[in-house]
Amino acid sequence: MTARPVIDTQGDPTAEAAPVTVRASLSPSRAADFKTCPLLYRFRSIDRLPERPTVEQARGTLVHAVLERLFDLPAPARTPESAGDLVAPQWDRLVTAEPELSTLFADDDTAGVEGFLRSAAALLEGYFAVEDPRRLEPAEREALISAVVDDELLIRGYLDRLDVAPDGALRVVDYKTGGAPREAFEARALFQLKFYALVLWRTRGVVPRVLRLLYLKDAEVCDYAPDAEELVRFERTVVALWRAIEQATVRQDFRPRPSRLCDWCSHQSRCPSFGGTPPPFPVAAAAPDPLVDARSRPATPGADE
Ligand code: SF4
């Protein structure tokens, strides 16, 4: 794979950054893909097969955008009404930025769009049931964080929100908007949060005190407190996962692993578990751009990012 110099000074801007040679990059979404189903990883990361956006994914993107912008407002103005007022303008902005979103609704389907916007507003009500944003001042939102582990693997991704307490304690917050059964995705969501915790620990020297999942549809909070030993083990898991991905790439051997998540997979028609045939393995896959994966923010099978 292509070697690229990466300088990582995150969390310590005064530090003299030493160039690091990165051999590969891995985002939590793609790592979770491989854990969930190696063939799904192949379809997304190697074949790079397009996935049509779904209404559920679009709703998740919209709600994330509104929650990000909500914190641009002065604290007293972060009310449910203000959040509701952001829904339509944010949808317009997203459609302009990603025109394929407009294909979710027919041109004359005004009622469909209005219903969609109402459903996003309903998720925001779930948010206000579990948090009061007037009492919060996030340190970071939609922040790209990264770290190099095992001397050559760049791990990075976008976290929804990072809160920093006056005593320096970190809380990583992830909004979950999907309507899918929670238990089907909880392990995947926690894997993603541990990924962020590992990056923060490696770059800032602080183990986040809380990893928080906010389930907006159910208006529920799920908190998890990691510790350093666990993150050491998790780091080994991530590195082992990457080595497994490398081996599978060399062998061109990515097997399907059917599970409940298949119900949300866009690639059933090409999956042997559903009678399909994968496309020929791409010739260029032996030397993919290792950093492309981390630059994008791909959706999970459950459309819950
Ligand atoms: S349908 Fe299921 S087994 Fe097949 S690629 Fe998708 S997630 Fe994997």
Side-chain angles (χ1 to χ4, degrees), residues 37 39-40 43 256-259 261-262 265 267-268 271 273-274:
C37 170
L39 185 58
L40 176 64
F43 286 152
R257 186 179 296 148
S259 70
L261 296 171
C262 295
C265 181
H267 307 295
Q268 287 186 5
C271 175
S273 295
F274 289 82

Side-chain angles (χ1 to χ4, degrees), residues 242-261:
W242 176 250
R243 297 214 169 109
I245 291 171
E246 282 193 313
Q247 279 191 4
T249 306
V250 169
R251 294 177 184 152
Q252 302 187 4
D253 182 10
F254 290 86
R255 298 187 187 181
R257 186 179 296 148
S259 70
R260 290 182 66 192
L261 296 171

Side-chain angles (χ1 to χ4, degrees), residues 36-58:
T36 302
C37 170
L39 185 58
L40 176 64
Y41 173 91
R42 185 201 136 169
F43 286 152
R44 286 183 161 169
S45 299
I46 295 178
D47 298 279
R48 299 192 184 281
L49 297 176
E51 294 182 10
R52 266 179 61 82
T54 65
V55 169
E56 196 167 57
Q57 286 169 339

Side-chain angles (χ1 to χ4, degrees), residues 135-206:
R135 297 161 58 94
L136 290 165
E137 215 49 74
E140 295 179 37
R141 289 169 272 150
E142 294 291 329
L144 176 64
I145 58 171
S146 64
V148 175
V149 297
D150 201 39
D151 292 332
E152 60 182 11
L153 175 63
L154 181 74
I155 57 172
R156 64 190 207 168
Y158 286 93
L159 49 77
D160 287 344
R161 201 180 85 207
L162 180 67
D163 299 334
V164 182
D167 65 358
L170 305 181
R171 180 172 65 191
V172 181
V173 180
D174 201 59
Y175 307 121
K176 292 296 171 200
T177 60
R182 218 167 80 176
E183 59 276 16
F185 293 99
E186 197 144 271
R188 187 178 169 106
L190 202 52
F191 178 87
Q192 185 182 12
L193 282 182
K194 286 184 187 175
F195 208 97
Y196 298 141
L198 174 60
V199 172
L200 291 168
W201 182 42
R202 285 299 181 214
T203 53
R204 303 182 185 212
V206 179

